[in-house]
Amino acid sequence: MPRRLLAAVALGAVVAAATVHHAAGQPGDAPKSFAKADVDFYEKEVRPILTAHCLKCHGADEEKIKGGFSLATREAVLAGGDSGPGVDLKNHAASLFLKAVEYKDAELRMPPKGKLPDKDLAVLRKWVGAGVPFPADKLTAKGGMKHKEKGGLVTEEAKRYWAFQPVKRPAPPAVKNGAWVKTPIDAFVLAKLDEKNLTPVRPADRAALVRRAYYDLWGLPPTPEQVDAFVNDTAADAWPKLIDALLASPHYGEKWGRHWLDVVRYAETNGYERDGPKPFAWRYRDYVIRSFNADKPFDVFVKEQLAGDEMPGYNPDAVIATGFYRLGLWDDEPADPAQALYDGFDDLVTVTGQGFLGITMNCARCHDHKVDPFPHADYYRFLAFFRDIRPFSDTRGVSSSTNMTDITPPERRKVYEAELAVRQTKIEELGRKLRAVEDAAIKKMPAEDQRASEGPDRPQVVAKVPSFLDEKAKADYAALRKDRAALEKRPRPAGQEFALSVNKCDPNPPKVFVLPRGNPHAKGTEVVPGFPQVLGVPDPAVTRTATTSGRRTVLANWVASKDNPLTARVLVNRVWQGHFGRGIVPSSNDFGKLGEAPTHPELLDWLAAEFIEGGWTMKRLHRLIMTSNVYQLSAAGDDANLRADPANHRYWRFAMRRLTAEEVRDSVLAVSGTLNDKMHGPSVYPKIPREVLAGQSVPGQGWPVSPAEEANRRTVYVGVKRSLQVPILATHDQADTDNSCPVRYTTTVPTQALGLLNGEFSNEMAAAFAARLLREAPGDVPAQVTRAVRLTTGRSPLPAEVAKDAAFVAEQRARHNLDERTALTRYCLLLLNTNEFVYLD
């Protein structure tokens, strides 16, 4: 909030915990009493002024206090409010209280209705000069406003909250039907079902189960041949073998990497009006996919993203991982640069807190968290871990960029670094010569221009320089500019590789202060890096080096620690959500009291303990979940269960789900036979209808259409532009990229059906689908129909279905005089619009 707004709501200035020195020491060291004459002065002279003009908004009623500042007790006056300490007893004139009533600060004037008479101001100055005397019963909060003690949110009761307890492995519970239990997961779920006398439904049929597995682990439909291979495999280990085969495929990383990209608000542009590009953001996406495919331990995955640049040696993956910090929104022309700076840090606090820890630390930016035990200061202690990161910028020069790092292998880098150094030296030398010419010319300009040249308007002044040069000097100046421009435009050396990352971080980060109301223009108490107090972790010891502050390494080690009560719980909950559609904690970014409580807390802890003890490996966790009987249940209904648990909170059946936006598009490409399996590399840009592009200020800007074959790659490789979405993805609830996206919405809206039926992409793919059927079953409509149903649903159609669908194709040809290909295309378009195609189970 700008300071000019603070004046309208408060006299105060600071946080209650601000450090204030006075004659007797700190506010807590107040004298036991003042002399009778001083107290009489307060009662007869001071108090009437305060009562008439101040106490209505700054009295003892905590609920009505404006700006967090109370004049009800001496302690409160000294501590101050939201903008700073109220009184400085060592420098009376510097007291914000006096500045406000004397109208010395244009943005902080009290009372707001008009300045007090001079005689009243003299009384208040005398009061401050006397040490702010009060009656004995109003020296501290006991006799007036009930202040929260520092850290008052962090009570013993708060520390006992379930999410803050250490992860301990509970024993699987006893159940009525032990024969149904295949894994400990089944025991935990069945125990909850037993409590309500619920019974699990039957297992899913094998065709539905194999389709479920392919979509859950690959995000793609199985081919009829893949379905048959599993359905006909009678071996006892057919199911775990299938799971292992799916996990071993690179398609696994493409599917599950996308889950993580949702969490970290992945996008390749900055947002806002210009929505400029984030160069090489795609390397972060590829890093995530490779990490999932390699089954990189999650604790390592965490450390690389939070502090990869602080890891020793040549480690390009770790550097690329820090692109995590650069994925958020960025305003390239903020009205308030200081506010924008802290908005950027707030993005980091938010995505780290919610994404890795499942806590809404961001809610304490402006005040104490309203529900969870996170004091206002905890937010800024947490922010301090990131204060070494220089803000995102649009600097294109690699040597000065804080957004990009050269990750070229050392042996290749040696080849061009010497040449680059020579080039940079020449550029700097030319810059000095140009500056000398410009400074000489500016001295000839009017005084107004000379002054402007010393600030941000220098470029406009420099544009006038040629007018103040003679012909020879003008030609020499133009030659210097041309030479520098040529050197700057010279292409990068062949083979040079860059990554979006943090770079040139500050080994001596600026001090961090509590910002009352989140206002960067009103600094409160200084803080140092620290973890949430409620977790009882001591303030960390940070080791700084010549090149790094070391702060984020400390943070990363704590977040990825087996002793952290949150990280493993949050991750296993996300994996459970990815398989069942809803987390054990449904609010997967918020494990606090504003979120939802876990439906199966013991199961959550068992999974977290198993995950840690198993080496933090994701694939092992998938196997544990998918080999349970709970995962293999059908989606069939049951009248008694529906009455007792209509939302299926206890998992008596498997929940039917619609395909995600990416799965819809990828499935259309797969069944049509046009899917390009190429992995990794720069993003692709499918054709977007002209009508959609017309919504841009410059239609088509930032969306270079890729060749058709490249455009038909999997959706995870499609460029993510914040201001422009591919229609089929937008209508099917693509992830929100402005913030961490904990769960996808699943909407049912007319534009989905309209787009799938009438959209250019759907109709082109329907034609490609028909062409595939004509190739694979030429001249045989029943065979074409059978193949089409199997490709889109995974099951074999009944003979009556085949006959009915074949009759539909024949009717299309006869009634509308269509050729074979066109009639079949209409049938294929029909199949792409069926619920059975876009829903699982």
Side-chain angles (χ1 to χ4, degrees):
M1 182 188 296
R3 288 193 67 198
R4 62 179 179 274
L5 297 183
L6 291 181
V9 297
L11 167 63
V14 170
V15 281
T19 302
V20 184
H21 294 277
H22 58 86
Q26 301 299 320
D29 301 326
K32 293 182 180 180
S33 64
F34 281 90
K36 184 178 183 301
D38 290 332
V39 174
D40 288 345
F41 170 67
Y42 168 80
E43 293 286 5
K44 295 177 181 179
E45 302 288 339
V46 178
R47 186 173 181 177
I49 298 172
L50 299 181
T51 300
H53 301 287
C54 307
L55 294 182
K56 182 179 179 181
C57 296
H58 302 285
D61 189 340
E62 184 175 4
E63 299 302 319
K64 296 181 179 180
I65 293 291
K66 296 289 184 69
F69 181 58
S70 170
L71 286 160
T73 68
R74 183 176 190 273
E75 180 184 42
V77 173
L78 298 180
D82 288 347
S83 300
V87 171
D88 185 340
L89 292 177
K90 288 191 174 182
N91 184 0
H92 302 157
S95 299
L96 280 175
F97 172 73
L98 290 181
K99 286 184 178 180
V101 296
E102 291 171 344
Y103 277 42
K104 288 185 177 180
D105 187 333
E107 297 177 343
L108 190 62
R109 293 182 171 184
M110 289 291 147
K113 292 182 179 180
K115 188 176 179 180
L116 295 173
D118 288 345
K119 65 180 183 65
D120 289 349
L121 292 176
V123 168
L124 295 179
R125 291 190 198 101
K126 181 178 178 181
W127 180 50
V128 170
V132 193
F134 268 89
D137 65 341
K138 294 186 180 298
L139 292 176
T140 67
K142 292 179 181 178
M145 177 184 174
K146 295 180 180 178
H147 288 286
K148 289 180 181 176
E149 295 179 5
K150 181 178 179 182
L153 294 175
V154 187
T155 63
E156 290 303 313
E157 180 182 359
K159 293 177 181 179
R160 290 193 291 271
Y161 184 66
W162 70 267
F164 305 144
Q165 299 306 300
V167 173
K168 295 179 180 178
R169 178 195 290 271
V175 294
K176 296 175 183 177
N177 182 12
W180 189 81
V181 175
K182 183 179 291 184
T183 72
I185 292 173
D186 296 326
F188 287 106
V189 171
L190 192 55
K192 287 289 186 181
L193 294 175
D194 287 347
E195 289 176 3
K196 294 293 184 180
N197 294 316
L198 301 173
T199 304
V201 298
R202 67 179 184 274
D205 67 70
R206 291 176 74 83
L209 193 59
V210 67
R211 188 168 186 254
R212 182 187 300 172
Y214 270 84
Y215 271 111
D216 274 7
L217 293 181
W218 283 14
L220 291 170
T223 65
E225 292 74 24
Q226 289 166 334
V227 173
D228 290 343
F230 174 70
V231 169
N232 297 325
D233 188 346
T234 59
D237 63 347
W239 177 240
K241 277 196 310 184
L242 174 65
I243 295 171
D244 286 343
L246 296 177
L247 289 172
S249 166
H251 291 318
Y252 161 74
E254 293 172 325
K255 165 64 178 179
W256 277 84
R258 182 59 256 184
H259 282 299
W260 185 252
L261 296 178
D262 282 12
V263 173
V264 297
R265 83 273 188 240
Y266 177 79
E268 298 170 28
T269 59
N270 297 318
Y272 294 96
E273 181 181 2
R274 273 182 284 278
D275 199 19
K278 294 183 181 291
F280 306 105
W282 57 267
R283 289 196 193 276
Y284 177 83
R285 173 249 291 153
D286 286 357
Y287 155 80
V288 171
I289 292 171
R290 287 195 309 271
S291 297
F292 275 82
N293 278 330
D295 204 14
K296 180 177 289 183
F298 186 71
D299 56 342
V300 176
F301 187 61
V302 169
K303 292 175 183 178
E304 288 179 342
Q305 292 175 84
L306 294 179
D309 58 309
E310 295 185 347
M311 292 181 174
Y314 173 71
N315 188 344
D317 256 14
V319 172
I320 293 169
T322 66
F324 156 79
Y325 289 113
R326 299 305 194 190
L327 300 174
L329 292 163
W330 177 65
D331 187 354
D332 59 359
E333 51 177 8
D336 185 340
Q339 185 71 38
L341 175 68
Y342 276 90
D343 285 347
F345 287 124
D346 182 67
D347 171 62
L348 303 185
V349 170
T350 301
V351 72
T352 304
Q354 295 182 13
F356 292 100
L357 302 170
I359 56 175
T360 55
M361 182 69 75
N362 52 297
C363 291
R365 180 182 182 181
C366 302
H367 44 67
D368 290 345
H369 198 292
K370 293 299 185 183
V371 176
D372 293 331
F374 303 131
H376 190 32
D378 268 13
Y379 173 93
Y380 291 95
R381 284 157 41 87
F382 200 70
L383 183 151
F385 283 113
F386 309 114
R387 197 59 184 86
D388 68 317
I389 298 174
R390 300 187 191 276
F392 191 93
S393 73
D394 58 2
T395 304
R396 291 288 182 259
V398 174
S399 62
S400 59
S401 176
T402 60
N403 310 327
M404 292 189 291
T405 302
D406 188 337
I407 58 168
T408 311
E411 60 275 12
R412 262 195 276 154
R413 192 181 303 177
K414 291 177 184 177
V415 176
Y416 62 74
E417 276 186 340
E419 188 273 334
L420 284 175
V422 171
R423 185 196 305 183
Q424 187 61 31
T425 299
K426 290 180 179 178
I427 290 172
E428 292 171 359
E429 182 181 349
L430 289 169
R432 285 192 293 271
K433 291 180 178 179
L434 285 166
R435 181 86 185 200
V437 174
E438 290 162 359
D439 287 347
I442 289 171
K443 290 178 181 178
K444 303 175 184 178
M445 296 182 187
E448 182 181 355
D449 285 338
Q450 292 184 38
R451 286 193 299 271
S453 70
E454 297 172 358
D457 293 331
R458 182 180 174 87
Q460 290 90 321
V461 178
V462 167
K464 304 176 183 180
V465 164
S467 302
F468 291 84
L469 302 175
D470 59 37
E471 291 305 315
K472 182 180 184 307
K474 188 184 298 184
D476 291 343
Y477 180 67
L480 288 172
R481 288 177 62 89
K482 182 178 179 181
D483 289 346
R484 185 176 67 173
L487 287 171
E488 289 176 337
K489 290 180 180 179
R490 190 176 298 178
R492 292 196 303 268
Q496 193 174 17
E497 299 176 13
F498 292 97
L500 181 73
S501 65
V502 294
N503 191 18
K504 302 183 182 300
C505 293
D506 193 343
N508 295 292
K511 292 180 179 180
V512 175
F513 300 88
V514 173
L515 302 181
R517 299 196 176 204
N519 180 6
H521 303 289
K523 294 180 179 178
T525 311
E526 183 181 346
V527 294
V528 296
F531 307 122
Q533 298 173 51
V534 72
L535 299 179
V537 182
D539 285 345
V542 179
T543 303
R544 183 172 59 83
T545 70
T547 56
T548 85
S549 71
R551 292 182 177 185
R552 285 179 291 107
T553 294
V554 170
L555 174 65
N557 289 337
W558 172 72
V559 172
S561 168
K562 64 181 179 60
D563 297 323
N564 188 308
L566 294 163
T567 308
R569 283 186 175 119
V570 169
L571 191 279
V572 299
N573 189 66
R574 293 194 193 282
V575 174
W576 185 271
Q577 174 184 299
H579 284 299
F580 290 92
R582 184 186 69 245
I584 296 171
V585 177
S587 53
S588 49
N589 265 16
D590 187 1
F591 277 37
K593 292 183 179 179
L594 286 174
E596 299 181 60
T599 56
H600 297 70
E602 295 83 6
L603 173 57
L604 181 67
D605 275 17
W606 186 89
L607 288 169
E610 187 71 19
F611 182 55
I612 294 170
E613 292 172 19
W616 299 80
T617 65
M618 299 276 286
K619 291 186 178 182
R620 182 173 179 272
L621 184 58
H622 290 300
R623 291 187 192 96
L624 281 171
I625 292 172
M626 295 180 71
T627 53
S628 69
N629 273 331
V630 176
Y631 179 83
Q632 298 174 60
L633 291 173
S634 81
D638 177 272
D639 289 343
N641 288 351
L642 281 168
R643 284 193 296 272
D645 183 20
N648 192 34
H649 287 309
R650 294 174 183 259
Y651 300 103
W652 52 267
R653 67 168 171 173
F654 196 85
M656 178 179 66
R657 75 169 176 90
R658 199 201 65 205
L659 303 183
T660 64
E662 291 84 358
E663 287 171 335
V664 171
R665 179 177 179 273
D666 290 351
S667 297
V668 171
L669 291 169
V671 301
S672 66
T674 60
L675 181 65
N676 180 350
D677 280 345
K678 179 182 175 183
M679 295 183 68
H680 304 311
S683 295
V684 297
Y685 299 87
K687 180 172 59 176
I688 290 180
R690 181 180 56 191
E691 295 82 0
V692 176
L693 295 176
Q696 292 183 282
S697 56
V698 181
Q701 187 178 62
W703 197 264
V705 179
S706 303
E709 184 178 356
E710 278 290 294
N712 287 348
R713 292 175 63 194
R714 290 199 67 174
T715 307
V716 72
Y717 300 114
V718 170
V720 182
K721 184 173 177 64
R722 283 191 157 98
S723 63
L724 183 66
Q725 291 178 286
V726 176
I728 195 171
L729 303 180
T731 57
H732 287 91
D733 310 304
Q734 187 177 21
D736 172 21
T737 58
D738 288 356
N739 302 285
S740 175
C741 180
V743 61
R744 297 284 185 95
Y745 290 112
T746 301
T747 62
T748 302
V749 293
T751 47
Q752 293 163 350
L754 291 170
L756 275 177
L757 190 63
N758 302 307
E760 185 177 356
F761 172 74
S762 300
N763 280 270
E764 287 178 356
M765 291 301 105
F769 190 6
R772 175 182 183 176
L773 298 177
L774 290 170
R775 289 194 308 272
E776 296 179 359
D780 187 342
V781 175
Q784 292 165 354
V785 166
T786 300
R787 182 71 172 167
V789 172
R790 296 210 65 195
L791 284 167
T792 53
T793 69
R795 65 176 179 85
S796 296
L798 299 171
E801 289 180 89
V802 175
K804 188 175 181 180
D805 288 6
F808 171 81
V809 175
E811 181 187 15
Q812 290 293 303
R813 295 193 64 180
R815 177 178 293 184
H816 301 289
N817 194 27
L818 303 178
D819 59 31
E820 178 185 24
R821 181 181 296 270
T822 305
L824 195 57
T825 296
R826 290 191 177 184
Y827 174 66
C828 290
L829 184 62
L830 173 69
L831 289 181
L832 297 181
N833 278 267
T834 58
N835 280 341
E836 203 171 358
F837 175 60
V838 295
Y839 278 84
L840 279 180
D841 294 296

